[in-house]
Amino acid sequence: MTHPAHSTPGIGGRCPVATPLYGPDLDGDGLPALYEELRREHGPVAPVTVAPGIQAWLVLGHRELLRLTREEQDFSHDPRRWRLLREGRVPADSPILPLVGWRPALLFSDGQQHRRMRAAVSDALAGINGHELRRSVRAAAEQLIASFADRREADLVPHYARKLPMQVITGLLGVEERTGQQLVQAIAGTAVANADSVNASKRMGAILLALIDEKRHKPGNDITSALLHHPARLTDEEVLHNLVVMFVAGNQTTVNWIATTLRILLCDPAFRSSLTGGHLSVDDALDLVLWRFPPTQNFPARYATRDLHFGGQDIRAGDMLVLGLAGANQDPSILPADGVPVTGNRSHLAFGAGPHTCPAQDPARLITRTAVDTIRHRLPDLELAVPESELAWIKSPWSKGLAALPVRFTDPQLPSVPQRPVRQYASHTNFQSGEPS
């Protein structure tokens, strides 16, 4: 795979060649080969550009990524440390800005400020009732399946995987369904960085501020109310931006996780035979996705707090470093000789590591497992409607998700009256049970 190159000045006059990590030709099928090409040429830390004229370092080594995520004294999460931004070298319309612009949220903070906000978010997530969440996911899944069951065919990306997490997550946040759809559209419009992004951002803020005002005066059994009334005393602005982070991080990653797991169950002969024979489980398929196709394949960013030598490269204070989650998962130094992750091994980096490890991985797994189990049970003869070779990934350096997953089936096993989703949140967590209750 050949890419145009840019020079990236390093300390001491070195100019390693930087590979673009953006553009319409960045094919999802070719990215794993690109990571290995970068590893061979540069080692565990490779120079890249993440937007036109925007240089960064892609961390591909498993050991190096652990250090990057754990050592806050050397690598900050606060984008206000980014040297290119401080020097005015990032255009206002740069597509990277919506991903890394500073907000008063746990994703963009370090130290005590991060710990304060994370305590509130973690406690709010821990308050989710696992049994009720499972019931809610199953009910929402059955409604979606019923909506296309008569056609005996569907594209499981737009018709199932993309709709289900949005319904569940907005319910957990305490957002009504219609408002939740408006929120999804506003957040999507904010992230695309086009002429309407400012208006979309205003709509997103107005929806969330109205929700916050309602929940502050009339709290309910939902995550928004839990954040507002936590002893950490988050401000309304902090609650708003942490809700945005939770929704953006939780929605698209869960969409990708559901769809890619279904692809493996439909296409991988080992899983197709083992699911009936009992050798491999749905959880094994979930873990295989996190190893080989992590829903977030690259994640921006950390910022060097000082000049240092890291992963064989000279890093300058204020340099951006991108977490190469997919590349680090494929680091030959941590895989068996055959390169295949061991079943049951969860030392992957799909959820990050260190103080900023994703706090929602347990509910995310429960949602994904229940979504996959429900469609398997309700559409037992589900099969691909096209050859596997025709399935394509979305073209993104950040997200690893299927563009489409067309399927067909003949004998849907639906309940006589599909349940309505249970929009309930509180009190006792049970994320460990593997089957729908």
Side-chain angles (χ1 to χ4, degrees):
M1 177 176 272
T2 303
H3 301 269
H6 306 282
S7 75
T8 304
I11 301 169
R14 292 183 61 202
C15 290
V17 174
T19 299
L21 200 64
Y22 65 91
D25 297 327
L26 203 67
D27 190 291
D29 284 319
L31 279 169
L34 173 61
Y35 301 146
E36 296 315 304
E37 180 183 322
L38 291 171
R39 197 192 313 275
R40 286 192 302 270
E41 185 173 352
H42 300 286
V45 178
V48 296
T49 52
V50 294
I54 306 299
Q55 298 85 24
W57 300 97
L58 179 64
V59 181
L60 297 162
H62 192 276
R63 180 179 63 183
E64 287 75 16
L65 200 143
L66 287 176
R67 179 184 169 192
L68 180 73
T69 55
R70 290 172 177 172
E71 297 186 6
E72 287 187 313
Q73 72 275 16
D74 289 336
F75 305 104
S76 171
H77 229 295
D78 190 335
R80 292 172 296 186
R81 290 179 176 267
W82 187 17
R83 179 167 43 83
L84 293 183
L85 191 63
R86 293 203 314 266
E87 294 174 355
R89 295 164 57 190
V90 182
D93 61 351
S94 175
I96 193 65
L97 276 180
L99 298 175
V100 300
W102 181 83
R103 300 177 182 88
L106 77 168
L107 188 60
F108 305 97
S109 60
D110 300 312
Q112 180 58 38
Q113 184 73 342
H114 171 255
R115 289 190 290 273
R116 182 179 71 88
M117 286 190 280
R118 186 179 176 93
V121 170
S122 296
D123 289 348
L125 291 169
I128 296 173
N129 184 314
H131 290 301
E132 294 295 346
L133 177 59
R134 189 179 298 108
R135 288 176 54 204
S136 181
V137 176
R138 185 177 60 193
E142 288 178 344
Q143 279 199 323
L144 289 173
I145 294 167
S147 72
F148 57 72
D150 288 345
R151 300 198 300 270
R152 301 301 194 263
E153 63 180 13
D155 182 340
L156 294 184
V157 172
H159 298 155
Y160 190 70
R162 195 175 292 156
K163 291 183 176 180
L164 183 56
M166 182 272 290
Q167 291 185 18
V168 174
I169 294 171
T170 53
L172 289 173
L173 298 184
V175 181
E176 293 303 320
E177 188 169 346
R178 182 177 178 182
T179 305
Q181 293 172 351
Q182 295 170 347
L183 179 61
V184 170
Q185 294 169 359
I187 290 176
T190 301
V192 296
N194 59 22
D196 190 53
S197 291
V198 172
N199 290 330
S201 180
K202 290 179 180 178
R203 292 195 299 273
M204 175 189 72
I207 292 169
L208 290 176
L209 284 174
L211 173 69
I212 289 167
D213 183 65
E214 174 192 346
K215 298 298 181 180
R216 190 173 285 286
H217 294 94
K218 190 185 295 185
N221 290 327
D222 52 70
I223 288 175
T224 304
S225 299
L227 289 177
L228 285 166
H229 298 89
H230 191 271
R233 301 179 66 85
L234 271 59
T235 66
D236 286 2
E237 186 181 25
E238 288 173 335
V239 171
L240 184 154
H241 288 287
N242 278 293
L243 289 175
V244 172
V245 167
M246 293 168 70
F247 191 91
V248 172
N251 184 60
Q252 189 58 49
T253 54
T254 309
V255 171
N256 295 348
W257 200 4
I258 292 170
T260 309
T261 302
L262 288 171
R263 174 181 179 166
I264 286 179
L265 296 179
L266 289 168
C267 299
D268 190 316
F271 280 97
R272 287 188 67 83
S273 60
S274 294
L275 284 171
T276 54
H279 300 295
L280 295 172
S281 67
V282 169
D283 267 311
D284 292 327
L286 295 175
D287 288 331
L288 185 62
V289 171
L290 296 178
W291 271 108
R292 288 187 173 175
F293 316 105
T296 300
Q297 58 179 324
N298 298 303
F299 191 83
R302 300 291 197 277
Y303 307 90
T305 61
R306 61 183 180 89
D307 293 352
L308 74 162
H309 193 72
F310 175 60
Q313 304 287 1
D314 292 320
I315 310 298
R316 293 180 59 189
D319 277 0
M320 174 189 284
L321 298 102
V322 175
L323 285 68
L325 304 175
N329 276 353
Q330 295 303 308
D331 187 338
S333 69
I334 55 100
L335 291 178
D338 62 2
V340 178
V342 176
T343 301
N345 183 343
R346 294 185 181 175
S347 61
H348 57 75
L349 296 171
F351 293 112
H356 285 267
T357 302
C358 174
Q361 53 189 288
D362 287 338
R365 177 177 284 269
L366 188 152
I367 292 169
T368 305
R369 184 202 298 128
T370 306
V372 170
D373 269 329
T374 303
I375 202 166
R376 283 181 55 239
H377 292 144
R378 295 306 181 188
L379 304 177
D381 63 347
L382 191 70
E383 62 179 17
L384 277 182
V386 299
E388 183 184 2
S389 60
E390 294 185 13
L391 297 178
W393 302 102
I394 58 175
K395 292 180 182 292
S396 169
W398 312 112
S399 187
K400 185 74 169 183
L402 288 170
L405 186 63
V407 296
R408 57 179 172 244
F409 48 90
T410 59
D411 189 23
Q413 303 293 309
L414 293 177
S416 55
V417 180
Q419 300 180 49
R420 289 198 59 81
V422 181
R423 300 176 71 83
Q424 189 168 345
Y425 161 78
S427 71
H428 297 294
T429 305
N430 177 17
F431 294 120
Q432 305 308 315
S433 176
E435 295 298 324
S437 57

